[in-house]
Amino acid sequence: MPIHSTHIGINYAGTQSALRGCINDAHDWAAWCKSIGVAAPAMLTESEATKANILASIAGLLAKLKPNDWGVLTFSGHGTQV
């Protein structure tokens, strides 16, 4: 059963809303996924993590999945509710 993963971490460096550990979280999740057999976890951090890149990365993750595969998506950063 193949496992595919995408990990997003945004610290918002240089803003009034800066966080400290989100990029580390993304790296930690990617390392854990590698340890359970994910060949190449996808990573988006800080300036790479634009809306367009996040949506494209999620679409890429979904496109890789076949029946019985697992997909792992993690996000560490600020959240919002609309």
Short mmCIF file of all heavy atoms in Angstrom, two decimals:
data_model
loop_
_atom_site.label_atom_id
_atom_site.label_comp_id
_atom_site.label_asym_id
_atom_site.label_seq_id
_atom_site.Cartn_x
_atom_site.Cartn_y
_atom_site.Cartn_z
N MET A 1 0.84 -1.17 0.00
CA MET A 1 0.00 0.00 0.00
C MET A 1 0.89 1.24 0.00
O MET A 1 1.48 1.58 1.02
CB MET A 1 -0.91 -0.04 1.22
CG MET A 1 -1.50 1.27 1.60
SD MET A 1 -2.55 1.22 3.05
CE MET A 1 -1.54 0.41 4.25
N PRO A 2 1.04 1.91 -1.13
CA PRO A 2 1.85 3.12 -1.18
C PRO A 2 1.28 4.27 -0.34
O PRO A 2 0.07 4.40 -0.20
CB PRO A 2 1.85 3.49 -2.66
CG PRO A 2 1.51 2.23 -3.38
CD PRO A 2 0.60 1.48 -2.45
N ILE A 3 2.17 5.07 0.19
CA ILE A 3 1.80 6.26 0.96
C ILE A 3 2.48 7.45 0.29
O ILE A 3 3.67 7.40 -0.01
CB ILE A 3 2.26 6.16 2.42
CG1 ILE A 3 1.75 4.88 3.08
CG2 ILE A 3 1.79 7.38 3.20
CD1 ILE A 3 2.36 4.60 4.43
N HIS A 4 1.72 8.51 0.07
CA HIS A 4 2.24 9.75 -0.50
C HIS A 4 1.94 10.87 0.49
O HIS A 4 0.93 10.84 1.19
CB HIS A 4 1.56 10.05 -1.84
CG HIS A 4 1.64 8.91 -2.80
ND1 HIS A 4 2.76 8.68 -3.57
CD2 HIS A 4 0.76 7.93 -3.09
CE1 HIS A 4 2.54 7.61 -4.33
NE2 HIS A 4 1.34 7.13 -4.05
N SER A 5 2.82 11.88 0.53
CA SER A 5 2.58 12.94 1.52
C SER A 5 3.04 14.30 1.03
O SER A 5 3.95 14.42 0.22
CB SER A 5 3.27 12.61 2.85
OG SER A 5 4.67 12.65 2.72
N THR A 6 2.37 15.31 1.59
CA THR A 6 2.70 16.72 1.36
C THR A 6 2.67 17.42 2.71
O THR A 6 1.75 17.23 3.50
CB THR A 6 1.68 17.38 0.41
OG1 THR A 6 1.74 16.73 -0.86
CG2 THR A 6 1.97 18.86 0.23
N HIS A 7 3.70 18.24 2.96
CA HIS A 7 3.84 18.92 4.26
C HIS A 7 4.07 20.40 4.04
O HIS A 7 4.96 20.79 3.29
CB HIS A 7 4.98 18.28 5.05
CG HIS A 7 4.83 16.80 5.08
ND1 HIS A 7 3.94 16.17 5.92
CD2 HIS A 7 5.40 15.83 4.32
CE1 HIS A 7 3.99 14.87 5.68
NE2 HIS A 7 4.86 14.64 4.72
N ILE A 8 3.27 21.21 4.71
CA ILE A 8 3.31 22.67 4.55
C ILE A 8 3.62 23.29 5.91
O ILE A 8 2.99 22.95 6.90
CB ILE A 8 1.96 23.19 4.03
CG1 ILE A 8 1.59 22.48 2.71
CG2 ILE A 8 1.99 24.71 3.86
CD1 ILE A 8 0.13 22.58 2.34
N GLY A 9 4.60 24.20 5.94
CA GLY A 9 4.95 24.90 7.16
C GLY A 9 5.23 26.36 6.87
O GLY A 9 6.07 26.68 6.03
N ILE A 10 4.51 27.24 7.56
CA ILE A 10 4.68 28.68 7.33
C ILE A 10 4.86 29.37 8.69
O ILE A 10 3.98 29.33 9.53
CB ILE A 10 3.45 29.28 6.62
CG1 ILE A 10 3.08 28.47 5.37
CG2 ILE A 10 3.73 30.74 6.24
CD1 ILE A 10 1.75 28.86 4.76
N ASN A 11 6.01 30.00 8.87
CA ASN A 11 6.31 30.74 10.11
C ASN A 11 5.90 32.21 10.03
O ASN A 11 5.89 32.89 11.05
CB ASN A 11 7.80 30.67 10.45
CG ASN A 11 8.19 29.33 11.02
OD1 ASN A 11 7.37 28.55 11.48
ND2 ASN A 11 9.48 29.04 10.96
N TYR A 12 5.63 32.73 8.83
CA TYR A 12 5.27 34.14 8.64
C TYR A 12 6.38 35.06 9.17
O TYR A 12 6.12 36.06 9.83
CB TYR A 12 3.93 34.47 9.30
CG TYR A 12 2.84 33.50 8.93
CD1 TYR A 12 2.58 32.38 9.71
CD2 TYR A 12 2.08 33.69 7.78
CE1 TYR A 12 1.60 31.47 9.36
CE2 TYR A 12 1.09 32.78 7.43
CZ TYR A 12 0.86 31.67 8.22
OH TYR A 12 -0.12 30.77 7.87
N ALA A 13 7.60 34.69 8.87
CA ALA A 13 8.77 35.45 9.34
C ALA A 13 8.67 36.91 8.91
O ALA A 13 8.23 37.23 7.81
CB ALA A 13 10.05 34.83 8.80
N GLY A 14 9.06 37.78 9.80
CA GLY A 14 9.09 39.21 9.51
C GLY A 14 7.74 39.90 9.61
O GLY A 14 7.62 41.05 9.23
N THR A 15 6.73 39.20 10.11
CA THR A 15 5.42 39.82 10.28
C THR A 15 5.10 39.91 11.77
O THR A 15 5.77 39.31 12.61
CB THR A 15 4.31 39.00 9.59
OG1 THR A 15 4.09 37.79 10.32
CG2 THR A 15 4.67 38.67 8.15
N GLN A 16 4.05 40.66 12.09
CA GLN A 16 3.61 40.77 13.48
C GLN A 16 3.01 39.46 13.99
O GLN A 16 2.85 39.27 15.19
CB GLN A 16 2.59 41.89 13.64
CG GLN A 16 3.16 43.27 13.47
CD GLN A 16 2.10 44.33 13.68
OE1 GLN A 16 0.92 44.13 13.39
NE2 GLN A 16 2.53 45.48 14.19
N SER A 17 2.69 38.58 13.08
CA SER A 17 2.06 37.31 13.44
C SER A 17 3.03 36.14 13.30
O SER A 17 2.61 35.00 13.09
CB SER A 17 0.85 37.07 12.53
OG SER A 17 -0.07 38.12 12.67
N ALA A 18 4.33 36.40 13.42
CA ALA A 18 5.33 35.36 13.22
C ALA A 18 5.17 34.21 14.21
O ALA A 18 4.82 34.41 15.37
CB ALA A 18 6.73 35.96 13.35
N LEU A 19 5.40 33.02 13.70
CA LEU A 19 5.40 31.81 14.52
C LEU A 19 6.83 31.25 14.51
O LEU A 19 7.67 31.70 13.74
CB LEU A 19 4.42 30.78 13.94
CG LEU A 19 2.96 31.23 13.90
CD1 LEU A 19 2.11 30.24 13.12
CD2 LEU A 19 2.42 31.40 15.31
N ARG A 20 7.09 30.27 15.35
CA ARG A 20 8.47 29.78 15.45
C ARG A 20 8.68 28.36 14.95
O ARG A 20 9.74 28.06 14.45
CB ARG A 20 8.93 29.86 16.89
CG ARG A 20 9.05 31.26 17.38
CD ARG A 20 9.71 31.32 18.73
NE ARG A 20 9.55 32.66 19.27
CZ ARG A 20 9.33 32.92 20.53
NH1 ARG A 20 9.28 31.95 21.41
NH2 ARG A 20 9.18 34.17 20.92
N GLY A 21 7.73 27.48 15.10
CA GLY A 21 8.02 26.07 14.87
C GLY A 21 7.36 25.41 13.67
O GLY A 21 7.48 24.21 13.49
N CYS A 22 6.69 26.18 12.84
CA CYS A 22 5.89 25.57 11.78
C CYS A 22 6.73 24.90 10.70
O CYS A 22 6.38 23.82 10.23
CB CYS A 22 4.96 26.61 11.17
SG CYS A 22 3.82 27.29 12.39
N ILE A 23 7.81 25.52 10.31
CA ILE A 23 8.69 24.90 9.32
C ILE A 23 9.31 23.64 9.91
O ILE A 23 9.41 22.61 9.23
CB ILE A 23 9.74 25.90 8.81
CG1 ILE A 23 9.04 27.00 8.00
CG2 ILE A 23 10.80 25.21 7.97
CD1 ILE A 23 9.93 28.15 7.58
N ASN A 24 9.70 23.70 11.18
CA ASN A 24 10.23 22.51 11.84
C ASN A 24 9.18 21.39 11.85
O ASN A 24 9.52 20.22 11.65
CB ASN A 24 10.67 22.82 13.27
CG ASN A 24 11.88 23.70 13.32
OD1 ASN A 24 12.64 23.80 12.37
ND2 ASN A 24 12.07 24.37 14.45
N ASP A 25 7.93 21.75 12.11
CA ASP A 25 6.86 20.75 12.09
C ASP A 25 6.79 20.05 10.74
O ASP A 25 6.68 18.82 10.66
CB ASP A 25 5.49 21.39 12.36
CG ASP A 25 5.31 21.87 13.78
OD1 ASP A 25 6.11 21.50 14.66
OD2 ASP A 25 4.34 22.63 14.01
N ALA A 26 6.84 20.83 9.67
CA ALA A 26 6.75 20.25 8.32
C ALA A 26 7.92 19.31 8.07
O ALA A 26 7.74 18.21 7.53
CB ALA A 26 6.71 21.36 7.27
N HIS A 27 9.13 19.71 8.47
CA HIS A 27 10.30 18.84 8.31
C HIS A 27 10.16 17.58 9.15
O HIS A 27 10.52 16.48 8.69
CB HIS A 27 11.58 19.59 8.67
CG HIS A 27 12.01 20.55 7.62
ND1 HIS A 27 12.58 20.18 6.42
CD2 HIS A 27 11.95 21.91 7.58
CE1 HIS A 27 12.85 21.24 5.70
NE2 HIS A 27 12.46 22.32 6.38
N ASP A 28 9.65 17.71 10.37
CA ASP A 28 9.47 16.55 11.24
C ASP A 28 8.45 15.57 10.65
O ASP A 28 8.66 14.35 10.66
CB ASP A 28 9.04 16.97 12.64
CG ASP A 28 10.15 17.64 13.43
OD1 ASP A 28 11.33 17.57 13.01
OD2 ASP A 28 9.83 18.26 14.47
N TRP A 29 7.35 16.09 10.13
CA TRP A 29 6.35 15.22 9.52
C TRP A 29 6.93 14.51 8.29
O TRP A 29 6.69 13.32 8.08
CB TRP A 29 5.11 16.01 9.12
CG TRP A 29 4.11 16.14 10.21
CD1 TRP A 29 3.78 17.28 10.90
CD2 TRP A 29 3.28 15.11 10.75
NE1 TRP A 29 2.81 16.99 11.84
CE2 TRP A 29 2.49 15.68 11.76
CE3 TRP A 29 3.14 13.76 10.47
CZ2 TRP A 29 1.56 14.94 12.49
CZ3 TRP A 29 2.22 13.02 11.20
CH2 TRP A 29 1.45 13.61 12.19
N ALA A 30 7.68 15.25 7.47
CA ALA A 30 8.28 14.64 6.28
C ALA A 30 9.26 13.54 6.68
O ALA A 30 9.28 12.47 6.07
CB ALA A 30 8.98 15.70 5.43
N ALA A 31 10.05 13.78 7.71
CA ALA A 31 11.00 12.76 8.19
C ALA A 31 10.26 11.53 8.70
O ALA A 31 10.66 10.39 8.42
CB ALA A 31 11.90 13.34 9.28
N TRP A 32 9.18 11.74 9.43
CA TRP A 32 8.39 10.61 9.93
C TRP A 32 7.80 9.82 8.76
O TRP A 32 7.84 8.59 8.76
CB TRP A 32 7.30 11.08 10.88
CG TRP A 32 6.50 9.92 11.40
CD1 TRP A 32 6.85 9.07 12.40
CD2 TRP A 32 5.23 9.49 10.91
NE1 TRP A 32 5.87 8.12 12.57
CE2 TRP A 32 4.85 8.35 11.67
CE3 TRP A 32 4.38 9.93 9.91
CZ2 TRP A 32 3.67 7.66 11.45
CZ3 TRP A 32 3.19 9.25 9.71
CH2 TRP A 32 2.85 8.13 10.48
N CYS A 33 7.27 10.54 7.77
CA CYS A 33 6.70 9.85 6.62
C CYS A 33 7.76 9.04 5.88
O CYS A 33 7.50 7.92 5.45
CB CYS A 33 6.01 10.84 5.69
SG CYS A 33 4.39 11.36 6.34
N LYS A 34 8.97 9.59 5.75
CA LYS A 34 10.06 8.81 5.15
C LYS A 34 10.32 7.55 5.95
O LYS A 34 10.58 6.48 5.40
CB LYS A 34 11.33 9.65 5.07
CG LYS A 34 11.38 10.58 3.90
CD LYS A 34 12.74 11.26 3.83
CE LYS A 34 12.82 12.18 2.65
NZ LYS A 34 14.15 12.80 2.53
N SER A 35 10.25 7.66 7.27
CA SER A 35 10.54 6.51 8.13
C SER A 35 9.51 5.39 7.97
O SER A 35 9.81 4.24 8.29
CB SER A 35 10.64 6.93 9.60
OG SER A 35 9.35 7.10 10.18
N ILE A 36 8.31 5.71 7.48
CA ILE A 36 7.29 4.68 7.27
C ILE A 36 7.15 4.30 5.79
O ILE A 36 6.21 3.60 5.42
CB ILE A 36 5.93 5.08 7.87
CG1 ILE A 36 5.35 6.31 7.18
CG2 ILE A 36 6.03 5.27 9.37
CD1 ILE A 36 3.87 6.53 7.45
N GLY A 37 8.07 4.79 4.96
CA GLY A 37 8.10 4.33 3.59
C GLY A 37 7.70 5.29 2.50
O GLY A 37 7.64 4.90 1.33
N VAL A 38 7.45 6.55 2.83
CA VAL A 38 7.16 7.53 1.78
C VAL A 38 8.46 7.85 1.06
O VAL A 38 9.44 8.28 1.69
CB VAL A 38 6.52 8.82 2.35
CG1 VAL A 38 6.29 9.84 1.26
CG2 VAL A 38 5.21 8.50 3.07
N ALA A 39 8.51 7.62 -0.24
CA ALA A 39 9.75 7.78 -0.99
C ALA A 39 10.19 9.24 -1.07
O ALA A 39 11.36 9.55 -0.86
CB ALA A 39 9.60 7.21 -2.40
N ALA A 40 9.27 10.13 -1.39
CA ALA A 40 9.65 11.53 -1.60
C ALA A 40 8.54 12.45 -1.11
O ALA A 40 7.72 12.93 -1.90
CB ALA A 40 9.93 11.78 -3.08
N PRO A 41 8.50 12.74 0.19
CA PRO A 41 7.49 13.67 0.69
C PRO A 41 7.65 15.05 0.04
O PRO A 41 8.76 15.55 -0.10
CB PRO A 41 7.78 13.76 2.19
CG PRO A 41 8.61 12.58 2.51
CD PRO A 41 9.37 12.25 1.26
N ALA A 42 6.55 15.65 -0.35
CA ALA A 42 6.58 17.00 -0.91
C ALA A 42 6.58 18.00 0.24
O ALA A 42 5.93 17.78 1.26
CB ALA A 42 5.38 17.23 -1.81
N MET A 43 7.32 19.09 0.08
CA MET A 43 7.42 20.12 1.12
C MET A 43 7.16 21.49 0.51
O MET A 43 7.65 21.80 -0.57
CB MET A 43 8.84 20.14 1.70
CG MET A 43 9.24 18.92 2.47
SD MET A 43 8.78 19.03 4.19
CE MET A 43 9.54 20.54 4.68
N LEU A 44 6.41 22.30 1.23
CA LEU A 44 6.26 23.72 0.91
C LEU A 44 6.48 24.48 2.20
O LEU A 44 5.82 24.22 3.20
CB LEU A 44 4.85 24.02 0.39
CG LEU A 44 4.48 23.51 -1.00
CD1 LEU A 44 3.01 23.79 -1.27
CD2 LEU A 44 5.35 24.14 -2.06
N THR A 45 7.41 25.42 2.18
CA THR A 45 7.65 26.24 3.37
C THR A 45 7.73 27.71 2.99
O THR A 45 8.10 28.06 1.87
CB THR A 45 8.95 25.82 4.09
OG1 THR A 45 10.05 25.95 3.20
CG2 THR A 45 8.87 24.40 4.60
N GLU A 46 7.36 28.52 3.95
CA GLU A 46 7.44 29.98 3.90
C GLU A 46 7.02 30.54 2.54
O GLU A 46 5.88 30.37 2.16
CB GLU A 46 8.84 30.44 4.31
CG GLU A 46 8.86 31.74 5.07
CD GLU A 46 8.02 31.74 6.36
OE1 GLU A 46 8.14 30.84 7.18
OE2 GLU A 46 7.23 32.67 6.52
N SER A 47 7.91 31.16 1.80
CA SER A 47 7.51 31.87 0.57
C SER A 47 7.07 30.92 -0.54
O SER A 47 6.36 31.34 -1.46
CB SER A 47 8.65 32.76 0.08
OG SER A 47 9.77 31.98 -0.28
N GLU A 48 7.46 29.64 -0.48
CA GLU A 48 6.99 28.66 -1.48
C GLU A 48 5.51 28.34 -1.27
O GLU A 48 4.84 27.87 -2.18
CB GLU A 48 7.76 27.35 -1.34
CG GLU A 48 9.23 27.44 -1.58
CD GLU A 48 9.93 26.14 -1.18
OE1 GLU A 48 9.47 25.47 -0.23
OE2 GLU A 48 10.92 25.81 -1.82
N ALA A 49 5.02 28.55 -0.05
CA ALA A 49 3.67 28.13 0.32
C ALA A 49 2.63 29.20 -0.03
O ALA A 49 1.90 29.68 0.82
CB ALA A 49 3.63 27.77 1.80
N THR A 50 2.57 29.54 -1.31
CA THR A 50 1.54 30.46 -1.79
C THR A 50 0.24 29.68 -1.98
O THR A 50 0.25 28.44 -2.04
CB THR A 50 1.94 31.08 -3.13
OG1 THR A 50 2.05 30.03 -4.11
CG2 THR A 50 3.27 31.83 -3.04
N LYS A 51 -0.85 30.39 -2.09
CA LYS A 51 -2.14 29.72 -2.32
C LYS A 51 -2.06 28.84 -3.57
O LYS A 51 -2.48 27.67 -3.54
CB LYS A 51 -3.26 30.75 -2.47
CG LYS A 51 -4.61 30.13 -2.72
CD LYS A 51 -5.70 31.18 -2.85
CE LYS A 51 -7.05 30.54 -3.15
NZ LYS A 51 -8.12 31.55 -3.27
N ALA A 52 -1.52 29.38 -4.64
CA ALA A 52 -1.43 28.62 -5.89
C ALA A 52 -0.57 27.37 -5.72
O ALA A 52 -0.94 26.29 -6.20
CB ALA A 52 -0.87 29.50 -7.01
N ASN A 53 0.57 27.50 -5.06
CA ASN A 53 1.45 26.34 -4.87
C ASN A 53 0.83 25.30 -3.94
O ASN A 53 1.01 24.10 -4.14
CB ASN A 53 2.82 26.78 -4.34
CG ASN A 53 3.65 27.46 -5.39
OD1 ASN A 53 3.34 27.41 -6.58
ND2 ASN A 53 4.72 28.10 -4.97
N ILE A 54 0.14 25.76 -2.89
CA ILE A 54 -0.52 24.82 -1.98
C ILE A 54 -1.60 24.04 -2.73
O ILE A 54 -1.66 22.81 -2.65
CB ILE A 54 -1.10 25.55 -0.76
CG1 ILE A 54 0.03 26.06 0.14
CG2 ILE A 54 -2.05 24.64 0.02
CD1 ILE A 54 -0.43 26.98 1.27
N LEU A 55 -2.44 24.74 -3.48
CA LEU A 55 -3.49 24.05 -4.23
C LEU A 55 -2.91 23.09 -5.27
O LEU A 55 -3.41 21.97 -5.43
CB LEU A 55 -4.42 25.07 -4.88
CG LEU A 55 -5.27 25.90 -3.92
CD1 LEU A 55 -6.07 26.96 -4.67
CD2 LEU A 55 -6.19 25.01 -3.09
N ALA A 56 -1.84 23.51 -5.94
CA ALA A 56 -1.20 22.63 -6.93
C ALA A 56 -0.58 21.41 -6.26
O ALA A 56 -0.65 20.29 -6.79
CB ALA A 56 -0.13 23.40 -7.71
N SER A 57 0.00 21.60 -5.09
CA SER A 57 0.61 20.49 -4.37
C SER A 57 -0.45 19.49 -3.90
O SER A 57 -0.25 18.28 -3.97
CB SER A 57 1.43 21.02 -3.20
OG SER A 57 2.16 19.98 -2.60
N ILE A 58 -1.57 20.00 -3.41
CA ILE A 58 -2.66 19.11 -3.00
C ILE A 58 -3.21 18.36 -4.21
O ILE A 58 -3.45 17.15 -4.15
CB ILE A 58 -3.77 19.90 -2.28
CG1 ILE A 58 -3.26 20.44 -0.95
CG2 ILE A 58 -5.01 19.04 -2.09
CD1 ILE A 58 -4.18 21.43 -0.28
N ALA A 59 -3.38 19.05 -5.32
CA ALA A 59 -3.85 18.39 -6.55
C ALA A 59 -2.86 17.31 -6.99
O ALA A 59 -3.27 16.22 -7.42
CB ALA A 59 -4.07 19.42 -7.66
N GLY A 60 -1.57 17.61 -6.88
CA GLY A 60 -0.55 16.62 -7.23
C GLY A 60 -0.59 15.41 -6.33
O GLY A 60 -0.44 14.27 -6.78
N LEU A 61 -0.80 15.64 -5.03
CA LEU A 61 -0.92 14.54 -4.08
C LEU A 61 -2.13 13.67 -4.45
O LEU A 61 -2.02 12.44 -4.53
CB LEU A 61 -1.07 15.08 -2.66
CG LEU A 61 -1.37 14.08 -1.55
CD1 LEU A 61 -0.21 13.10 -1.37
CD2 LEU A 61 -1.66 14.80 -0.23
N LEU A 62 -3.26 14.29 -4.69
CA LEU A 62 -4.47 13.54 -5.03
C LEU A 62 -4.31 12.77 -6.34
O LEU A 62 -4.79 11.64 -6.46
CB LEU A 62 -5.67 14.48 -5.11
CG LEU A 62 -6.09 15.11 -3.78
CD1 LEU A 62 -7.19 16.15 -4.02
CD2 LEU A 62 -6.53 14.06 -2.78
N ALA A 63 -3.60 13.35 -7.30
CA ALA A 63 -3.40 12.70 -8.59
C ALA A 63 -2.55 11.43 -8.47
O ALA A 63 -2.69 10.50 -9.27
CB ALA A 63 -2.75 13.67 -9.58
N LYS A 64 -1.68 11.38 -7.48
CA LYS A 64 -0.82 10.20 -7.26
C LYS A 64 -1.59 9.03 -6.66
O LYS A 64 -1.17 7.88 -6.79
CB LYS A 64 0.33 10.53 -6.32
CG LYS A 64 1.35 11.46 -6.88
CD LYS A 64 2.40 11.75 -5.82
CE LYS A 64 3.36 12.81 -6.29
NZ LYS A 64 4.32 13.16 -5.22
N LEU A 65 -2.67 9.32 -5.96
CA LEU A 65 -3.36 8.27 -5.21
C LEU A 65 -4.16 7.34 -6.09
O LEU A 65 -4.87 7.76 -6.99
CB LEU A 65 -4.29 8.91 -4.17
CG LEU A 65 -3.62 9.77 -3.11
CD1 LEU A 65 -4.67 10.43 -2.21
CD2 LEU A 65 -2.64 8.95 -2.28
N LYS A 66 -4.00 6.06 -5.81
CA LYS A 66 -4.76 5.01 -6.47
C LYS A 66 -5.54 4.28 -5.38
O LYS A 66 -5.29 4.47 -4.19
CB LYS A 66 -3.80 4.08 -7.19
CG LYS A 66 -3.07 4.75 -8.34
CD LYS A 66 -2.12 3.79 -9.02
CE LYS A 66 -1.40 4.38 -10.20
NZ LYS A 66 -0.98 5.74 -10.13
N PRO A 67 -6.50 3.43 -5.76
CA PRO A 67 -7.27 2.71 -4.73
C PRO A 67 -6.34 2.01 -3.72
O PRO A 67 -5.32 1.41 -4.10
CB PRO A 67 -8.07 1.68 -5.55
CG PRO A 67 -8.27 2.36 -6.87
CD PRO A 67 -6.97 3.10 -7.11
N ASN A 68 -6.68 2.14 -2.46
CA ASN A 68 -5.96 1.56 -1.32
C ASN A 68 -4.67 2.29 -0.95
O ASN A 68 -3.98 1.88 -0.02
CB ASN A 68 -5.69 0.07 -1.52
CG ASN A 68 -6.97 -0.72 -1.63
OD1 ASN A 68 -7.89 -0.52 -0.86
ND2 ASN A 68 -7.05 -1.58 -2.63
N ASP A 69 -4.29 3.35 -1.68
CA ASP A 69 -3.15 4.17 -1.28
C ASP A 69 -3.55 5.05 -0.10
O ASP A 69 -4.74 5.27 0.15
CB ASP A 69 -2.70 5.11 -2.41
CG ASP A 69 -1.97 4.38 -3.53
OD1 ASP A 69 -1.79 3.15 -3.43
OD2 ASP A 69 -1.60 5.06 -4.51
N TRP A 70 -2.56 5.54 0.59
CA TRP A 70 -2.77 6.51 1.67
C TRP A 70 -2.19 7.84 1.24
O TRP A 70 -1.11 7.90 0.64
CB TRP A 70 -2.06 6.05 2.94
CG TRP A 70 -2.80 5.01 3.69
CD1 TRP A 70 -2.97 3.70 3.32
CD2 TRP A 70 -3.48 5.17 4.92
NE1 TRP A 70 -3.70 3.05 4.26
CE2 TRP A 70 -4.03 3.91 5.26
CE3 TRP A 70 -3.68 6.25 5.78
CZ2 TRP A 70 -4.77 3.72 6.41
CZ3 TRP A 70 -4.40 6.04 6.94
CH2 TRP A 70 -4.94 4.79 7.24
N GLY A 71 -2.87 8.92 1.57
CA GLY A 71 -2.37 10.27 1.35
C GLY A 71 -2.31 11.00 2.68
O GLY A 71 -3.25 10.94 3.47
N VAL A 72 -1.18 11.66 2.93
CA VAL A 72 -0.99 12.40 4.17
C VAL A 72 -0.75 13.86 3.80
O VAL A 72 0.15 14.16 3.01
CB VAL A 72 0.22 11.86 4.97
CG1 VAL A 72 0.45 12.69 6.22
CG2 VAL A 72 0.02 10.40 5.32
N LEU A 73 -1.53 14.76 4.37
CA LEU A 73 -1.37 16.19 4.17
C LEU A 73 -1.28 16.84 5.54
O LEU A 73 -2.16 16.66 6.37
CB LEU A 73 -2.56 16.77 3.40
CG LEU A 73 -2.60 18.28 3.26
CD1 LEU A 73 -1.45 18.77 2.38
CD2 LEU A 73 -3.94 18.73 2.69
N THR A 74 -0.19 17.57 5.78
CA THR A 74 -0.07 18.30 7.04
C THR A 74 0.12 19.78 6.75
O THR A 74 0.74 20.16 5.77
CB THR A 74 1.12 17.79 7.90
OG1 THR A 74 2.35 18.05 7.23
CG2 THR A 74 0.98 16.30 8.19
N PHE A 75 -0.44 20.61 7.63
CA PHE A 75 -0.27 22.06 7.54
C PHE A 75 0.05 22.56 8.94
O PHE A 75 -0.65 22.25 9.90
CB PHE A 75 -1.55 22.74 7.04
CG PHE A 75 -1.45 24.24 7.08
CD1 PHE A 75 -0.84 24.92 6.05
CD2 PHE A 75 -1.92 24.96 8.17
CE1 PHE A 75 -0.72 26.31 6.09
CE2 PHE A 75 -1.81 26.34 8.22
CZ PHE A 75 -1.21 27.01 7.18
N SER A 76 1.09 23.35 9.03
CA SER A 76 1.43 24.00 10.29
C SER A 76 1.59 25.48 10.01
O SER A 76 2.44 25.89 9.21
CB SER A 76 2.73 23.41 10.85
OG SER A 76 3.00 23.93 12.12
N GLY A 77 0.74 26.28 10.63
CA GLY A 77 0.75 27.72 10.42
C GLY A 77 -0.52 28.29 11.03
O GLY A 77 -1.20 27.62 11.79
N HIS A 78 -0.83 29.53 10.69
CA HIS A 78 -2.06 30.14 11.18
C HIS A 78 -3.25 29.55 10.41
O HIS A 78 -3.14 29.22 9.24
CB HIS A 78 -2.05 31.66 10.98
CG HIS A 78 -1.16 32.37 11.92
ND1 HIS A 78 -1.35 32.37 13.28
CD2 HIS A 78 -0.05 33.13 11.70
CE1 HIS A 78 -0.41 33.08 13.87
NE2 HIS A 78 0.40 33.55 12.93
N GLY A 79 -4.36 29.47 11.08
CA GLY A 79 -5.58 29.02 10.45
C GLY A 79 -6.60 30.14 10.45
O GLY A 79 -6.43 31.16 11.09
N THR A 80 -7.64 29.93 9.71
CA THR A 80 -8.73 30.89 9.66
C THR A 80 -10.02 30.15 9.39
O THR A 80 -10.01 28.99 9.00
CB THR A 80 -8.49 31.96 8.57
OG1 THR A 80 -9.48 32.97 8.70
CG2 THR A 80 -8.53 31.38 7.17
N GLN A 81 -11.10 30.82 9.60
CA GLN A 81 -12.40 30.23 9.32
C GLN A 81 -13.21 31.27 8.55
O GLN A 81 -13.25 32.44 8.94
CB GLN A 81 -13.08 29.86 10.62
CG GLN A 81 -14.35 29.08 10.43
CD GLN A 81 -14.88 28.60 11.77
OE1 GLN A 81 -14.62 29.17 12.81
NE2 GLN A 81 -15.66 27.54 11.74
N VAL A 82 -13.80 30.85 7.46
CA VAL A 82 -14.59 31.76 6.63
C VAL A 82 -16.03 31.31 6.65
O VAL A 82 -16.33 30.15 6.56
CB VAL A 82 -14.07 31.78 5.18
CG1 VAL A 82 -14.93 32.67 4.31
CG2 VAL A 82 -12.63 32.22 5.16
#
